[in-house]
Amino acid sequence: MKKILQNPTHTLSCLLFLTGAVFLAYLTYSNLDKGFIFNDEAYYLSYYRNKGESLSFDRTNFFRIFKFLYTPNIYHFRIISITALVLSNFLLCFTVFKYVNFKKNIFFLSFLGVFIGFNSWQINNLIIQQYIGNTILINIGVSLLLFFLLSKKQIFNTLSGFVLSFVLFNGNSHSIVIIPILTFFMVSNLKHWKINLVYFFTGYMVGVIIYFTFLDTLDNFIYQFKFLKEYLSFHKKQHSKTFMVLWCVYLFLNAILPSAITVFFMWKSKFSEKSVAVLDRIIAVIGIITLGLFIFSSQYYIFAFIVFTHLLAVRFWFAKDQPKESKYLILLLLIIPYCLAFGSQTWFHLRLNAYIFYYFLLIFICITKLYKNSIWNLAYLAAITSIIISFPNILHDKGWKDFIFTEQTEKVKINGYDLYLDKRRKKDIEDLRPYLQNQPNVIYSSNHLMGYLYILNASPPIYYYFTLKDYISFIIKKVNKTPDDFIYIESDDYPFYPKEIVPLKFVSHPENYKTVKTGRFTLYLPSNYQKK
């Protein structure tokens, strides 16, 4: 009891991380048999089902790497996916705390990773895809590197190279994360960096060999890049170069520029104690703003959160009492989210939520190591508490998932296994079943309809997000078909975009098509249509 009272905030952190992890785990696992994300989740599951045999413009092969975990039982696969993620978070927390020389209760503190893992994905889109997959691979790979740096046993180094080799295939654009990881690895043990890299790349090459021996072929891998090159001309219509320029400008203004200005003024002041004190006050003010936004306006907190995290990392770097190895690790944790978000085709501040774990870990280390005042720790725990309190709201929030958990009460068979959906979608499935069940050639009006195709075992020429007329025409020719070979499905809620595709104008012989209205959908059936 005396030891507990000596450091109450440390004890409170352990208790809160553990309690939060258990509570969020309970809410997550008890709702994983409910709902279905009809766009993204169906998209990812389709690749597991067809084993990657359909065309894809994605630079990822997550479904090959993680197929050993796959089961057609969506409920079980969700459990496997989120469990693998949070356990990898726990492992990274444990090794990071060991590496930065945390002395007490590392096991319980590591439940921070479990807690943030559940909160990051919020019972949403949990099927292992390139984003969850890369997080798992990076967590395990970096943890093995830290085990090596702590123990000097080369087996951990080689195993790290083996695990990280799969990042190249899991998300090609994200593989740039290997650069900062190797940089950290080399500067952390400069004396033996050459022999260490030999062991690392031995494991890396073994992983590459295993991938091309058992999971994929080199010809298919090269073909993907050829197809990607063909796709790029259409891609510009979806995500223009302006988008990427603005992405970089946003990152510069929100993260790089504030950090650079801070470093410049610290350098000009020769890192005096006065300048450090001023920086601490600035960080405290931004921290208060971030905490307030986090609790009361969560959709806007991320802008202040990024600035706060970067300035805190700068402050840690200038701390004279912190070892350089810990400083290198803090920089790595800061950079990893940038690399994993690279090429993800969405704004960084939106994608960051998938990788926010690294920043929560970084912040906890910094405030614990830099500030002895318990107010910093209490503010951090206030953010944790707000997450615990607000997490149940997910069950009543429609969000981008397009369903509410409490309305998922109707049992539906998917792949022969039970999953609970809402009454409207269950009716949709029964309306569409006579026309789409097992149909191989379907073109749909919106990615929100992917789920119906997945459930009814129907398939398009390629899974797509935007029904671009030129792109669909290109794909149809690529699979040696014509527009007249396809069924067209249009939703009342998500119709075809008139400037792109109007089914009876898109086909060559509209007179051969029959229009059928069923429920909330309109189907255009070709003359050669046969019920399966």
Side-chain angles (χ1 to χ4, degrees):
M1 178 63 71
K2 187 176 180 180
K3 290 182 178 180
I4 293 176
L5 294 176
Q6 285 177 346
N7 195 350
T9 55
H10 178 86
T11 303
L12 184 59
S13 297
C14 294
L15 182 62
L16 205 56
F17 295 164
L18 178 60
T19 302
V22 171
F23 179 63
L24 266 63
Y26 168 74
L27 285 179
T28 298
Y29 288 128
S30 61
N31 285 282
L32 288 182
D33 61 343
K34 300 179 179 68
F36 188 64
I37 303 174
F38 275 62
N39 41 28
D40 282 33
E41 196 169 29
Y43 178 86
Y44 298 130
L45 281 166
S46 297
Y47 284 110
Y48 284 103
R49 172 187 280 175
N50 63 39
K51 302 176 183 178
E53 293 174 358
S54 68
L55 291 176
S56 169
F57 57 80
D58 275 354
R59 294 154 292 176
T60 174
N61 284 290
F62 63 89
F63 49 88
R64 302 183 195 277
I65 297 168
F66 293 100
K67 68 179 181 181
F68 72 99
L69 296 174
Y70 169 70
T71 167
N73 187 329
I74 296 174
Y75 172 53
H76 288 169
F77 194 28
R78 287 170 173 171
I79 292 174
I80 292 169
S81 299
I82 189 61
T83 302
L85 175 66
V86 299
L87 288 180
S88 74
N89 280 5
F90 180 91
L91 178 64
L92 183 65
C93 277
F94 187 85
T95 53
V96 166
F97 288 147
K98 275 278 189 184
Y99 191 75
V100 298
N101 201 27
F102 273 50
K103 300 291 186 182
K104 298 182 296 183
N105 298 323
I106 292 177
F107 178 82
F108 291 104
L109 288 177
S110 298
F111 276 94
L112 170 66
V114 177
F115 173 81
I116 298 300
F118 282 118
N119 180 66
S120 296
W121 288 90
Q122 301 193 340
I123 328 180
N124 177 36
N125 206 10
L126 294 182
I127 297 304
I128 293 182
Q129 12 75 3
Q130 61 265 45
Y131 306 110
I132 287 180
N134 265 334
T135 305
I136 293 171
L137 293 172
I138 295 302
N139 287 349
I140 296 174
V142 172
S143 296
L144 289 168
L145 277 185
L146 295 178
F147 272 128
F148 164 68
L149 292 172
L150 288 167
S151 67
K152 306 304 180 186
K153 295 181 179 179
Q154 291 289 0
I155 182 64
F156 293 118
N157 183 9
T158 304
L159 287 173
S160 176
F162 174 78
V163 171
L164 291 176
S165 69
F166 292 98
V167 175
L168 173 63
F169 311 106
N170 187 71
N172 305 140
S173 61
H174 308 162
S175 60
I176 62 169
V177 73
I178 300 298
I179 297 174
I181 291 175
L182 283 182
T183 302
F184 161 78
F185 183 42
M186 292 170 63
V187 299
S188 297
N189 195 349
L190 280 173
K191 188 176 180 180
H192 303 103
W193 71 271
K194 291 183 180 178
I195 187 64
N196 289 342
L197 284 183
V198 169
Y199 278 97
F200 177 89
F201 279 110
T202 298
Y204 196 93
M205 291 309 301
V206 169
V208 171
I209 291 170
I210 287 178
Y211 180 84
F212 285 121
T213 303
F214 299 103
L215 304 181
D216 199 1
T217 65
L218 184 59
D219 287 343
N220 183 68
F221 187 71
I222 294 173
Y223 171 76
Q224 282 183 302
F225 282 93
K226 290 181 179 178
F227 182 43
L228 176 62
K229 184 179 179 180
E230 295 175 326
Y231 162 72
L232 285 177
S233 61
F234 303 101
H235 173 79
K236 293 174 184 176
K237 294 184 179 181
Q238 299 177 21
H239 298 294
S240 66
K241 291 181 179 179
T242 304
F243 174 89
M244 294 305 298
V245 171
L246 292 175
W247 192 89
C248 294
V249 169
Y250 168 79
L251 284 183
F252 177 77
L253 293 176
N254 201 212
I256 299 172
L257 184 61
S259 301
I261 292 173
T262 303
V263 171
F264 174 76
F265 281 109
M266 292 294 289
W267 174 71
K268 289 289 287 184
S269 66
K270 298 180 180 179
F271 314 113
S272 64
E273 291 185 8
K274 183 178 180 180
S275 63
V276 172
V278 171
L279 179 57
D280 283 340
R281 284 194 285 272
I282 293 173
I283 292 174
V285 171
I286 297 176
I288 292 170
I289 295 172
T290 303
L291 180 62
L293 291 173
F294 188 82
I295 295 174
F296 300 109
S297 184
S298 58
Q299 66 267 38
Y300 297 114
Y301 90 96
I302 196 69
F303 302 100
F305 182 77
I306 293 174
V307 176
F308 175 71
T309 304
H310 284 69
L311 294 188
L312 201 57
V314 171
R315 172 65 177 85
F316 189 88
W317 185 260
F318 291 129
K320 297 178 181 179
D321 58 342
Q322 298 302 321
K324 61 180 182 181
E325 291 80 9
S326 296
K327 295 177 180 179
Y328 295 146
L329 183 56
I330 288 296
L331 287 182
L332 178 63
L333 293 175
L334 188 70
I335 293 171
I336 283 177
Y338 286 91
C339 298
L340 293 183
F342 181 74
S344 59
Q345 300 176 354
T346 188
W347 297 111
F348 175 74
H349 63 280
L350 297 178
R351 183 62 66 200
L352 180 64
N353 283 318
Y355 309 116
I356 208 168
F357 156 64
Y358 299 102
Y359 284 172
F360 267 89
L361 177 57
L362 182 157
I363 292 170
F364 183 72
I365 293 170
C366 288
I367 64 176
T368 301
K369 289 290 186 177
L370 294 175
Y371 306 112
K372 304 307 177 184
N373 191 327
S374 60
I375 292 177
W376 287 86
N377 295 88
L378 292 175
Y380 184 88
L381 296 180
I384 299 297
T385 302
S386 71
I387 292 175
I388 296 174
I389 294 173
S390 63
F391 193 81
N393 294 338
I394 296 168
L395 302 180
H396 307 281
D397 180 22
K398 187 173 184 179
W400 81 279
K401 298 182 294 294
D402 208 29
F403 67 82
I404 299 173
F405 280 100
T406 53
E407 295 178 357
Q408 312 306 301
T409 57
E410 301 296 313
K411 187 184 294 186
V412 175
K413 290 284 184 183
I414 303 179
N415 300 332
Y417 301 95
D418 293 335
L419 202 70
Y420 290 90
L421 304 181
D422 56 77
K423 293 180 180 179
R424 189 172 72 164
R425 283 189 174 82
K426 183 178 182 180
K427 182 180 183 303
D428 288 344
I429 293 167
E430 296 312 312
D431 288 339
L432 293 171
R433 189 180 301 279
Y435 305 98
L436 293 188
Q437 185 75 52
N438 299 321
Q439 292 293 336
N441 300 311
V442 182
I443 290 178
Y444 50 90
S445 60
S446 168
N447 61 350
H448 292 81
L449 307 185
M450 287 185 190
Y452 295 113
L453 271 66
Y454 178 81
I455 293 171
L456 297 172
N457 197 32
S459 58
I462 186 173
Y463 287 93
Y464 49 87
Y465 275 75
F466 303 90
T467 50
L468 302 175
K469 181 178 180 180
D470 294 341
Y471 180 54
I472 298 300
S473 298
F474 166 74
I475 295 300
I476 288 175
K477 291 178 182 177
K478 197 170 188 67
V479 295
N480 297 316
K481 292 187 179 294
T482 69
D484 294 62
D485 294 320
F486 288 84
I487 297 171
Y488 294 82
I489 173 176
E490 184 172 30
S491 167
D492 293 345
D493 297 327
Y494 307 101
F496 282 105
Y497 187 50
K499 289 186 179 180
E500 294 296 345
I501 291 181
V502 176
L504 295 183
K505 293 182 180 180
F506 185 62
V507 301
S508 300
H509 298 283
E511 69 276 7
N512 293 335
Y513 270 79
K514 179 175 67 173
T515 302
V516 175
K517 181 69 178 178
T518 176
R520 299 188 298 141
F521 304 91
T522 301
L523 293 163
Y524 301 90
L525 307 176
S527 57
N528 60 356
Y529 166 78
Q530 292 182 349
K531 289 187 177 182
K532 299 292 183 177

